Amino acid sequence: MSDHRAVDVDVAIIGAGPSGAVAAALLRKAGHSVRVLERQQFPRFSIGESLLPQSMAYLDEAGMLQAVVEAGFQYKNGARFVRRGESSSYDFRDKHTPGWGTTYQVERATFDDLLIRCAAEQGADVRFGHTVNAIETGERPALDVTDEAGTQYRVQARFVLDASGFGRVLPRLLQLETPTRMPTRAALFTHVRDDMPLRAIDREKICVAVHPEHGNVWYWMIPLAGGRASVGCVAESDFLQCTESERESRLRSLIRQEPTLGAWFGDAPFLMPVRTIGGYAANVARLHGPGFALLGNAGEFLDPVFSSGVTIALRSAHLAACVLVRQLSGAAVDWQIEYDDELRRGIDVFRAFVERWYSGELQDILFHAEQAPQIRRMISAVLAGYAWDETNPFVKDAGRRLDTLHEICKATR
């Protein structure tokens, strides 16, 4: 149904992915009117299929946990790292930070659709096929929107949240994008048929494997429900350069080059055309402005290696909703301190881990033969998504602690 007049709501949310859905549900719980504007139709494919346990608390608070638990997704309790015959597993239940230690590996088309349907059931007005073309910022921001029939209309709101993910609607419209410190990387990926015997692989852990010759090239293997697995290779864009017609053979060759994944899936049928995503690392000058804030990937995306994307998205939705509920009730809020700085604290922890993964230092730590149990639990907590817990030394001072630990690992090799 199209609107031919201006719509007035408390909060307009651009994008119906996980951050938009959770923000919508939390704002509805607080009694605010919400319209979600989603350009695509759901369900639709998305990458980012391995959740982190910290996400579960936000799904619970948003009233979505039961639906997720009952959906039949693949259970997940940790991560396994593989490099040149070495293997190192982390169980996220054995971690420094209290809280959830388990989660799920999900097909995002189903997962994202489930979350936004939950938000709609809680009263969010969700419109699919509605594209935001322009914004007027300020005390009463306004969005110019076009629906699928081509009808244009305006949404007036007390506040706008951009949850548009890689679409990055407001950064594009308001010229907010700034260079990221991360190199330009890309991924080639598909789903494969997983005919492995039940005990042949630990289906309850994501597997992250390092290319045997190139330490900055890595693979993911994410077991999914229903006899599928998601498999992808990440490298600097030039390394993966190929034409569309060459993608399948390129990915097949790369899988066979890594002994563990090659043995598992070297000949496994691909269940969908090989896809690619590139240049996904992104940053913005600020995560908020007059009448708006950016959630999840619309603001900053680092790298997929530790599956932090959805956790950062849900953390941003929770933080923004908390600040916004207070603002809409008339309280004085500071978006810079309470949202921007707070969200970036955890992003910077993940950044320290990501940078040291690619430099090789973190790989040396993860594969070190003698790992102190207490330090393992601290690292496990970050890998489980608890990147804002400053009781953890590897959160409070991530870069320096990792560098010191790497020196110790070198000395005791």
Side-chain angles (χ1 to χ4, degrees):
M1 188 178 78
S2 300
D3 294 287
H4 299 275
R5 55 182 174 74
V7 176
D8 204 316
V9 291
D10 289 336
V11 184
I13 299 177
I14 307 169
S19 62
V22 166
L26 293 173
L27 289 162
R28 284 298 303 138
K29 281 180 77 172
H32 295 292
S33 58
V34 178
R35 174 166 287 205
V36 181
L37 302 160
E38 169 56 52
R39 180 174 56 87
Q40 294 180 285
Q41 293 290 342
F42 277 34
R44 54 86 180 98
F45 181 86
S46 183
I47 199 65
E49 298 149 316
S50 197
L51 307 183
L52 300 184
Q54 164 122 58
S55 302
M56 302 297 277
Y58 306 128
L59 296 173
D60 191 10
E61 195 168 334
M64 300 171 174
L65 186 60
Q66 182 177 343
V68 171
V69 168
E70 292 179 352
F73 295 122
Q74 171 63 49
Y75 176 80
K76 175 186 174 182
N77 64 22
R80 178 188 181 192
F81 298 93
V82 174
R83 182 180 70 174
R84 294 192 293 275
E86 302 173 285
S87 179
S88 178
S89 289
Y90 280 76
D91 188 323
F92 293 160
R93 295 165 295 186
D94 184 18
K95 65 186 187 317
H96 169 85
T97 306
W100 283 84
T102 61
T103 185
Y104 295 98
Q105 312 201 111
V106 301
E107 290 191 59
R108 285 285 301 279
T110 304
F111 178 75
D112 291 10
D113 190 53
L114 185 72
L115 297 196
I116 197 60
R117 302 290 171 192
C118 284
E121 286 167 12
Q122 295 179 56
D125 178 6
V126 182
R127 301 298 174 108
F128 296 103
H130 287 225
T131 301
V132 174
N133 304 307
I135 181 172
E136 289 178 12
T137 61
E139 200 170 308
R140 293 283 298 177
L143 299 173
D144 291 332
V145 184
T146 305
D147 70 11
E148 277 193 319
T151 303
Q152 298 183 350
Y153 69 100
R154 175 162 276 216
V155 176
Q156 200 100 33
R158 297 168 69 187
F159 205 86
V160 173
L161 295 174
D162 184 355
S164 60
F166 292 122
R168 299 172 63 75
V169 171
L170 293 192
R172 197 166 29 81
L173 292 175
L174 299 174
Q175 285 81 52
L176 299 175
E177 293 179 311
T178 58
T180 173
R181 298 187 343 223
M182 311 301 288
T184 304
R185 295 193 177 94
L188 279 177
F189 56 93
T190 189
H191 285 178
V192 301
R193 182 172 298 136
D194 175 5
D195 290 328
M196 299 293 292
L198 203 55
R199 298 185 184 280
I201 58 175
D202 185 349
R203 298 189 60 81
E204 297 176 353
K205 290 179 175 63
I206 185 175
C207 179
V208 176
V210 182
H211 191 283
E213 295 172 27
H214 305 284
N216 62 350
V217 176
W218 62 274
Y219 306 79
W220 74 71
M221 191 286 290
I222 302 170
L224 300 166
R228 297 170 81 93
S230 174
V231 180
C233 181
V234 176
E236 293 197 18
S237 299
D238 291 348
F239 185 84
L240 296 178
Q241 195 84 42
C242 60
T243 65
E244 187 173 345
S245 64
E246 294 169 338
R247 284 180 194 164
E248 184 167 337
S249 61
R250 180 75 173 121
L251 181 58
R252 178 73 70 189
S253 169
L254 285 163
I255 291 170
R256 288 172 174 164
Q257 287 169 32
E258 202 292 308
T260 301
L261 294 188
W264 288 345
F265 302 119
D267 298 313
F270 288 176
L271 299 179
M272 66 181 193
V274 174
R275 296 172 182 250
T276 185
I277 182 172
Y280 43 69
N283 198 3
V284 288
R286 62 187 191 279
L287 294 172
H288 66 97
F292 71 88
L294 311 178
L295 307 184
N297 296 349
E300 181 163 5
F301 183 76
L302 293 173
D303 190 271
V305 65
F306 299 122
S307 306
S308 60
V310 174
T311 294
I312 292 171
L314 298 191
R315 175 77 178 189
S316 72
H318 183 267
L319 272 177
C322 290
V323 177
L324 187 49
V325 167
R326 290 179 51 241
Q327 176 176 307
L328 295 176
S329 72
V333 301
D334 187 325
W335 279 92
Q336 184 61 42
I337 292 172
E338 297 178 55
Y339 178 68
D340 199 314
D341 293 349
E342 177 64 17
L343 185 62
R344 287 188 196 267
R345 273 199 314 113
I347 292 173
D348 287 344
V349 173
F350 283 123
R351 188 195 317 280
F353 274 65
V354 168
E355 288 175 346
R356 285 157 182 81
W357 168 267
Y358 283 105
S359 68
E361 295 165 285
L362 183 58
Q363 293 182 30
D364 291 344
I365 290 168
L366 295 176
F367 291 107
H368 194 261
E370 297 170 16
Q371 300 182 10
Q374 184 181 2
I375 291 176
R376 269 184 67 87
R377 283 193 288 273
M378 292 172 183
I379 291 174
S380 182
V382 175
L383 297 179
Y386 294 92
W388 289 265
D389 173 21
E390 292 206 337
T391 70
N392 184 347
F394 286 87
V395 168
K396 193 168 178 62
D397 195 1
R400 189 179 67 82
R401 290 278 181 173
L402 288 171
D403 292 344
T404 301
L405 183 56
H406 182 246
E407 289 301 318
I408 294 168
C409 290
K410 276 201 309 187
T412 57
R413 239 185 267 177

